[in-house]
Amino acid sequence: EISEMSEKSKQNVAHGLAWSYYVGYLKIVLPRVKKSMEEFSRANPNMLVCRETWKLHILVPLSCDVYDDLEKADSNIQYLTDLTETTLTRAGTKKRVYKHSLYAIRDEDKLWHCTVEYATPLQSLYAMSQDEGAAFSREERLEQAKLFYRTLEEILKGSKECAGTYRLIAYEESGEAETHFLSREILWHLRQQRHEEYDLRKGNQLHNPSTTLSSTELNIQISESDLPQPLRSDRF
């Protein structure tokens, strides 16, 4: 009876997607990210100058609007190259390839370099909202996206092998068309990480920065009983 109620309310969808994404992908690739970036840095010493940004930056748009080409999403984001591939045999597929792309993010007259990609399960949530069989409304899709983010965040926090290898960038786009919204979101995180590294070198006590969402404060909450969880209070 409980299982039937959960299915009707679609409570298991985002939870399952988050665990599948972690077990089937992130748990495999994240422990290898820093090694790939170290190899790239040795060959290109002037590009990845801030070690604190040597992570996989995972975009989590709550609209589930995922672009296949980041350069088309924002002209301030430029593809540079792919990092070293990881090849494994998985689920009957020989030599399955896992790789990450390195991008340059333009910040006025300066370039920041980082690996960045979307959380691909959001494409499934979006597709379900467009499929009559899944019967997902836009509001339900938003709640599922929030639940996906919070579930994934908790999973990764408890993962020792993934510690220090990722940065979740959850955001809700404003209703207005903004040409460089995405690059600004990524840049905010890159700056935060650079400040964190600087503070560590100086021996200053760090304060946990708010996690980003949008340029306006957004509360992520799954039910009315949850307390609001502001993910960022800064403004550009």
Side-chain angles (χ1 to χ4, degrees), residues 15 17 51 90 99 101 107 109 121 128-129 138 152 176 183 194 196 200 213 233:
H15 185 266
L17 285 174
R51 293 184 67 91
R90 294 279 295 175
K99 65 180 181 180
S101 297
D107 181 13
D109 58 347
M128 290 175 71
S129 70
R138 182 177 297 181
L152 183 61
E176 301 175 2
S183 59
R194 184 168 185 173
E196 289 167 15
L200 284 172
L213 264 199
S233 58

Side-chain angles (χ1 to χ4, degrees), residues 22 26 30-31 33-34 52-58 115 149 152-169 189 193:
Y22 168 69
L26 294 181
L30 287 181
V33 165
K34 292 222 171 184
E52 190 62 29
T53 63
W54 291 11
K55 301 171 182 176
L56 180 61
H57 296 78
I58 304 170
T115 55
Y149 169 78
L152 183 61
E153 184 181 42
E154 288 303 312
I155 293 171
L156 289 171
K157 281 182 179 178
S159 174
K160 292 181 180 179
E161 56 264 61
C162 295
T165 63
Y166 68 91
R167 183 90 172 190
L168 294 180
I169 303 179
H189 276 270
Q193 291 171 94

Side-chain angles (χ1 to χ4, degrees), residues 192-232:
Q192 282 294 118
Q193 291 171 94
R194 184 168 185 173
H195 290 323
E196 289 167 15
E197 183 173 271
Y198 177 80
D199 287 341
L200 284 172
R201 287 177 179 175
K202 289 289 187 178
N204 296 337
Q205 185 175 358
L206 291 177
H207 298 284
N208 291 329
S210 300
T211 307
T212 188
L213 264 199
S214 65
S215 56
T216 57
E217 185 174 327
L218 174 69
N219 293 330
I220 282 194
Q221 52 189 113
I222 303 306
S223 67
E224 293 182 359
S225 61
D226 288 332
L227 290 176
Q229 301 292 322
L231 293 195
R232 183 163 120 204

Side-chain angles (χ1 to χ4, degrees), residues 3-44:
S3 177
E4 185 177 350
M5 290 173 62
S6 295
E7 287 180 20
K8 287 182 178 179
S9 62
K10 306 180 182 70
Q11 291 175 358
N12 292 328
V13 175
H15 185 266
L17 285 174
W19 270 104
S20 178
Y21 183 49
Y22 168 69
V23 175
Y25 179 65
L26 294 181
K27 192 176 181 180
I28 298 169
V29 302
L30 287 181
R32 297 171 170 82
V33 165
K34 292 222 171 184
K35 182 180 178 182
S36 295
M37 299 199 78
E38 284 174 1
E39 292 173 356
F40 182 85
S41 182
R42 284 196 293 269
N44 304 272

